[in-house]
Amino acid sequence: MKDLIKDIRESLDEFADDKRIEFAKKSYPTKMHVIGVTVPNLKIALKELSKQTKLLKNQEKLNLIKQLIDRDVFELQQIAFEYLQTEKNLYKSLTKEYIESIEKNLDNWLSVDYFGALVVGCAWRENLINTEFVKRYLSSDDFWIRRIAVVATVSLNQKARGGHGDSKRTLEICQLVVDDHQEMIIKALSWALRELVKIDKESVIEFINEYKDRLHKKVLREVNNKLETGLKN
């Protein structure tokens, strides 16, 4: 496994781009080491990883994901999350203990949204974790951790992520953050409600009407615009 991770790291190093590093510093600053690899080149590395691990058992693949994340390298973390999504049978092997073991370096919107949607959200959708597990993120003083719970609802409703719609669980989380006006939570709440509009417009209208005096004006503006025009802005 160490040799495999070493090969991945070396292939990513070949794609290192100073401009991408500067872009990362501005767009999603993180304490992790950033190699500076563009998305298309990450996809190349991911495709090669999938080929090399085709015969591995699920537990071996989950171990690989954890080891990639434990390297504290931004691009290795991204590949780990993407790998979990492409290896769809792995979701059946997720447990809350495993999810907790990879809750690392969640200090920027990109890492948080990948983890929230591709790990927590998908596990929640498949009933591998319960709503109480998701709610626990909301008790954190760290807004990035609180954001995980809100972003997780996207996987319940977004068809592209395999969602079929779940108004009850989505609004149960959204209700708990109506008074949280931290910028990253505001954006996540707007996103969550706009995704639900596509599935259950009436429930979103009722939610907006009930909490209109407490919701941030950005949430009201974006969600109402989505309801009226189908667009964000």
Side-chain angles (χ1 to χ4, degrees):
M1 198 72 75
K2 288 183 179 179
D3 288 340
L4 177 57
I5 294 174
K6 181 174 179 290
D7 289 344
I8 297 168
R9 175 61 192 269
E10 289 177 351
S11 67
L12 290 174
D13 284 338
E14 292 178 4
F15 291 126
D17 184 336
D18 290 340
K19 290 183 178 180
R20 186 68 183 184
I21 294 174
E22 290 305 310
F23 175 77
K25 288 179 180 178
K26 294 177 182 178
S27 300
Y28 40 90
T30 175
K31 64 185 177 183
M32 287 181 282
H33 174 71
V34 177
I35 300 171
V37 182
T38 62
V39 173
N41 286 332
L42 273 176
K43 297 289 186 183
I44 293 172
L46 177 63
K47 187 175 181 179
E48 183 59 31
L49 176 62
S50 294
K51 287 181 180 178
Q52 292 182 46
T53 59
K54 189 175 182 180
L55 299 179
L56 292 183
K57 296 177 180 179
N58 277 2
Q59 194 54 50
E60 292 174 314
K61 291 178 179 180
L62 288 174
N63 185 42
L64 170 62
I65 288 170
K66 186 176 186 311
Q67 288 192 45
L68 288 170
I69 290 172
D70 284 344
R71 291 300 189 276
D72 298 334
V73 176
F74 176 78
E75 285 84 358
L76 291 181
Q77 182 198 61
Q78 293 299 292
I79 281 184
F81 292 151
E82 290 274 13
Y83 180 73
L84 177 59
Q85 184 183 38
T86 57
E87 301 288 323
K88 298 189 183 300
N89 286 333
L90 283 182
Y91 282 119
K92 299 175 183 178
S93 301
L94 288 179
T95 64
K96 65 179 183 178
E97 289 79 14
Y98 180 79
I99 292 172
E100 288 172 339
S101 77
I102 61 172
E103 288 176 8
K104 285 191 63 180
N105 296 321
L106 301 171
D107 61 357
N108 65 90
W109 70 265
L110 201 51
S111 296
V112 167
D113 288 3
Y114 268 60
F115 180 75
L118 301 185
V119 182
V120 177
C122 290
W124 187 25
R125 187 189 66 218
E126 301 301 319
N127 296 309
L128 300 171
I129 56 175
N130 60 28
T131 302
E132 293 307 310
F133 181 89
V134 178
K135 284 182 179 179
R136 75 186 177 88
Y137 293 111
L138 296 176
S139 64
S140 175
D141 292 332
D142 185 341
F143 64 83
W144 288 123
I145 302 304
R146 299 200 303 277
R147 181 178 167 98
I148 291 169
V150 188
V151 171
T153 68
V154 172
S155 293
L156 302 177
N157 303 305
Q158 195 175 66
K159 292 181 180 179
R161 298 189 191 279
H164 301 291
D166 193 325
S167 302
K168 182 180 182 298
R169 288 194 289 181
T170 298
L171 295 178
E172 189 172 352
I173 296 297
C174 291
Q175 181 182 359
L176 296 174
V177 295
V178 292
D179 297 314
D180 191 337
H181 289 182
Q182 201 287 327
E183 182 184 7
M184 287 297 112
I185 305 302
I186 291 168
K187 290 181 177 180
L189 179 56
S190 174
W191 183 19
L193 291 171
R194 284 183 282 110
E195 285 299 329
L196 186 57
V197 166
K198 302 172 187 177
I199 300 294
D200 187 354
K201 189 174 182 179
E202 291 305 314
S203 288
V204 176
I205 292 173
E206 290 178 11
F207 183 86
I208 291 293
N209 287 337
E210 181 175 357
Y211 295 105
K212 61 185 177 182
D213 294 331
R214 293 163 58 187
L215 288 164
H216 192 276
K217 60 183 179 180
K218 180 181 178 68
V219 176
L220 291 172
R221 183 180 68 252
E222 292 182 351
V223 176
N224 279 325
N225 199 64
K226 182 71 175 181
L227 287 165
E228 295 168 7
T229 69
L231 302 173
K232 176 181 176 181
N233 297 312

